[in-house]
Amino acid sequence: MTSPFVDPDENAGGTPPAIPPRPMAPRARGSLRAGHKPQAIPLRGADESWHDDSAEEAPRSRRQDLDPIFGYILAMALSVGLTPLPANTRYVVLWAFMAIMGVMAFLLGSGIKLKVADPGDLVGGLVLGILTGGALLLVGSDTLRTASERLFGAKDASNPLLVTWVFQAAVFVMPFSESLFFRGAMQRGHPILVVALMASAWSGLMFFPNLELAETPAVGAVFGTALVLLNFLYSYVSFRNGLAASLLCQVAAGSLILLVPLLISL
């Protein structure tokens, strides 16, 4: 009787091999005979769900779910609550709060990037700021000078402390704090139109209580229009050229509508 572990092909000559092959030796898939039906081998257990592990997303950190809208609501409430304070003190507190919120968004990994790949983006943002601010200056230089004097709590434009304070606010404080928060943190999760309107509402709520609108409503109309236009411009430049370009655009435009009218009147 022939052993069941002997391959019939190898025993075709009638002489049994000296050393029998290993029992149940696996064959290559290509050498299976036609009479042997292939068997399916399950890759997973029957009780396991069939899904693609690569499609699973890592759990998001809770700090990345912080919406800057919450900080915006706090800033608006703080702006209303600090209205009785002197104008310059109120500006310092509000811009400091806005800067803290922007820096927190930057440190918590919200994706804010100031790095510029193309220097032409910086030049484009600067040129747009100069053109827009220059056009507003040509249209209403006297109105902007009056607005700047009222906003920063001084009736004498020749006061050197006023000029220094307006320079610091227009070149450093306001651009960095508002750019980090609105164009950096806010615009990453909200459309340009929404961010521009929210920034305009913030600027209006902060500045309008000091414009004395009851005496000269034209000043409020001109300055309010300039704020809305510029906030749309800053958001557009941030979307097109990057956050750093938007910051330079705000420095140029803000200096032309707040600082230059004071310097011209000296």
Side-chain angles (χ1 to χ4, degrees):
M1 176 177 165
T2 305
S3 173
F5 300 113
V6 177
D7 192 344
D9 295 338
E10 297 177 356
N11 198 22
T15 303
I19 300 176
R22 296 173 57 188
M24 304 299 290
R27 287 178 173 270
R29 186 178 298 271
S31 62
L32 291 176
R33 289 193 293 268
H36 291 199
K37 296 182 180 181
Q39 297 181 355
I41 301 176
L43 298 179
R44 297 175 181 265
D47 56 343
E48 296 182 5
S49 60
W50 185 269
H51 61 277
D52 188 5
D53 292 335
S54 62
E56 293 183 355
E57 297 182 358
R60 296 182 59 188
S61 173
R62 295 184 62 183
R63 67 186 184 185
Q64 293 178 351
D65 295 329
L66 296 176
D67 197 330
I69 291 292
F70 178 70
Y72 177 79
I73 294 174
L74 290 179
M76 296 291 280
L78 189 63
S79 179
V80 175
L82 297 179
T83 303
L85 294 181
N88 292 332
T89 304
R90 182 167 169 266
Y91 295 154
V92 170
V93 175
L94 291 177
W95 279 327
F97 178 80
M98 189 67 69
I100 291 173
M101 296 299 295
V103 171
M104 286 180 59
F106 178 79
L107 295 178
L108 291 178
S110 63
I112 300 176
K113 296 180 180 180
L114 288 172
K115 185 178 180 180
V116 179
D118 185 5
D121 292 336
L122 295 178
V123 176
L126 186 62
V127 170
L128 285 176
I130 293 174
L131 292 177
T132 307
L136 294 172
L137 181 64
L138 291 176
V139 171
S141 60
D142 294 337
T143 304
L144 293 175
R145 178 180 59 82
T146 303
S148 184
E149 292 175 359
R150 293 179 179 178
L151 288 176
F152 295 96
K155 300 297 183 181
D156 185 10
S158 61
N159 186 356
L161 293 178
L162 171 65
V163 176
T164 303
W165 167 227
V166 175
F167 171 78
Q168 293 176 353
V171 176
F172 299 106
V173 182
M174 184 165 58
F176 279 91
S177 60
E178 294 184 359
S179 293
L180 279 177
F181 184 79
F182 287 109
R183 267 71 69 179
M186 187 78 71
Q187 193 163 319
R188 288 187 57 82
H190 301 277
I192 294 177
L193 178 62
V194 174
V195 175
L197 291 177
M198 294 175 69
S200 301
W202 153 262
S203 300
L205 188 60
M206 183 170 60
F207 289 134
F208 278 6
N210 302 315
L211 282 179
E212 301 176 7
L213 299 179
E215 298 179 4
T216 52
V219 174
V222 173
F223 193 75
T225 303
L227 288 178
V228 175
L229 177 63
L230 290 176
N231 279 303
F232 273 98
L233 175 66
Y234 302 152
S235 295
Y236 171 76
V237 172
S238 178
F239 171 76
R240 182 180 178 87
N241 302 92
L243 181 60
S246 175
L247 192 149
L248 283 182
C249 180
Q250 185 169 0
V251 169
S255 300
L256 287 173
I257 68 171
L258 293 176
L259 178 61
V260 174
L262 295 178
L263 298 177
I264 292 176
S265 62
L266 295 179

